[in-house]
Amino acid sequence: MGSIYLIRHGQASFGADDYDVLSPIGIRQAEVLGAHLAQLGLRIDRSVSGDLRRQQHTATAALTQLTRAGLQAPALEIDAAFNEFDADAVIRALLPDLLPEEPEALHVLRNAAQNRAEFQRLFARLIGRWISGEHDKPGLQSWQGFVEQVQGGLLRLLEQAESKQNIAVFTSGGTITALLHLITGVPPAQAFELNWQIVNTSLSCLKFRGNQVSLASFNSHVHLQLLKTPELITYR
């Protein structure tokens, strides 16, 4: 069987003007991941990333550690199917209908870094509306549309894959969530409960034979735990 390693990007710049940039902690997480893979002697036959900067930066920082250890580091391929869904667009489209119930929501979302717990509660409510399919808006990618995007990326991987290949996919939490939904059949709401637990640079492993795919492991972040440095375990 072959293996697809789903790797969530390192910590991004939550609350900054540009979220799509790794923080210093995010860069360190990616380097630790790469060193861990090198220590395992894991052969990576292909590496794929979405086209977001935080995904690509995580990939290059990790793969550089493999090269430094004298291991093969394949050229990074880009497939936008593994991009994250546009969370800002979801918030902009669905927030107006929520404001009568949550009059402080706009203030919280504009000051997310100072209101992390409340931001998460509101974001989860908005995501719940998005995945229900009952609040679709013109111009906003639907949950079903996002799932189909991710499924297309997975099918391309499988069509191009060779038996027993190890493929690293540097992606995002929502993309991993969509794959969990597709592969295990877990309902979207439950899949997003798992989403909130996905650690930056964690590994989830899919096993494949032909077009048959199964989930082998989820959200492993032992490479961070072994350092006994709690600040390296982050979720955004």
Side-chain angles (χ1 to χ4, degrees):
M1 298 184 75
S3 299
I4 299 173
Y5 294 94
L6 304 174
I7 300 166
R8 189 186 179 197
H9 62 77
Q11 184 190 62
S13 298
F14 181 71
D17 291 338
D18 188 354
Y19 176 75
D20 194 22
V21 177
L22 291 188
S23 71
I25 286 177
I27 296 170
R28 177 63 179 143
Q29 290 167 331
E31 292 171 342
V32 170
L33 169 66
H36 177 69
L37 296 177
Q39 289 177 338
L40 292 176
L42 182 64
R43 185 192 78 253
I44 301 294
D45 300 299
R46 289 180 63 196
S47 58
V48 182
S49 168
D51 66 14
L52 300 177
R53 283 179 292 164
R54 60 188 182 273
Q55 298 170 340
Q56 294 184 60
H57 194 176
T58 300
T60 55
L63 294 172
T64 296
Q65 297 300 312
L66 295 181
T67 302
R68 288 178 178 172
L71 299 177
Q72 175 183 341
L76 185 63
E77 306 167 36
I78 304 300
D79 187 338
F82 295 107
N83 284 1
E84 180 65 284
F85 66 89
D86 190 340
D88 286 342
V90 170
I91 291 171
R92 286 195 303 270
L94 302 187
L95 180 60
D97 291 343
L98 189 63
L99 284 176
E101 300 175 27
E102 300 279 1
E104 297 298 317
L106 194 57
H107 171 76
V108 170
L109 295 172
R110 284 175 172 170
N111 299 275
Q114 292 76 43
N115 299 277
R116 289 174 179 264
E118 190 63 3
F119 171 86
Q120 178 58 34
R121 184 187 70 80
L122 291 169
F123 186 55
R125 284 203 67 184
L126 290 166
I127 291 298
R129 290 183 169 220
W130 182 55
I131 63 179
S132 74
E134 298 175 1
H135 302 271
D136 290 350
K137 302 289 184 179
L140 175 68
Q141 184 184 41
S142 67
W143 161 250
Q144 187 56 43
F146 178 66
V147 169
E148 291 171 0
Q149 166 196 305
V150 175
Q151 185 175 39
L154 176 62
L155 291 175
R156 277 191 293 278
L157 276 187
L158 296 174
E159 288 168 359
Q160 299 165 4
E162 299 176 9
S163 177
K164 299 182 180 179
Q165 271 193 328
N166 292 325
I167 304 171
V169 178
F170 295 86
T171 185
S172 296
T175 317
I176 295 170
T177 301
L179 287 165
L180 288 175
H181 167 64
L182 284 165
I183 292 164
T184 69
V186 63
Q190 293 180 23
F192 266 95
E193 287 301 316
L194 295 173
N195 174 294
W196 312 134
Q197 308 305 317
I198 301 176
V199 172
N200 292 115
T201 70
S202 65
L203 293 97
S204 299
C205 181
L206 308 179
K207 293 290 185 179
F208 69 90
R209 179 182 288 114
N211 286 327
Q212 300 299 311
V213 186
S214 60
L215 178 66
S217 65
F218 172 69
N219 198 33
S220 173
H221 51 283
V222 66
H223 57 288
L224 301 175
Q225 292 173 309
L226 286 171
L227 295 183
K228 299 181 181 179
T229 308
E231 59 266 28
L232 287 181
I233 299 177
T234 62
Y235 300 88
R236 289 204 181 277

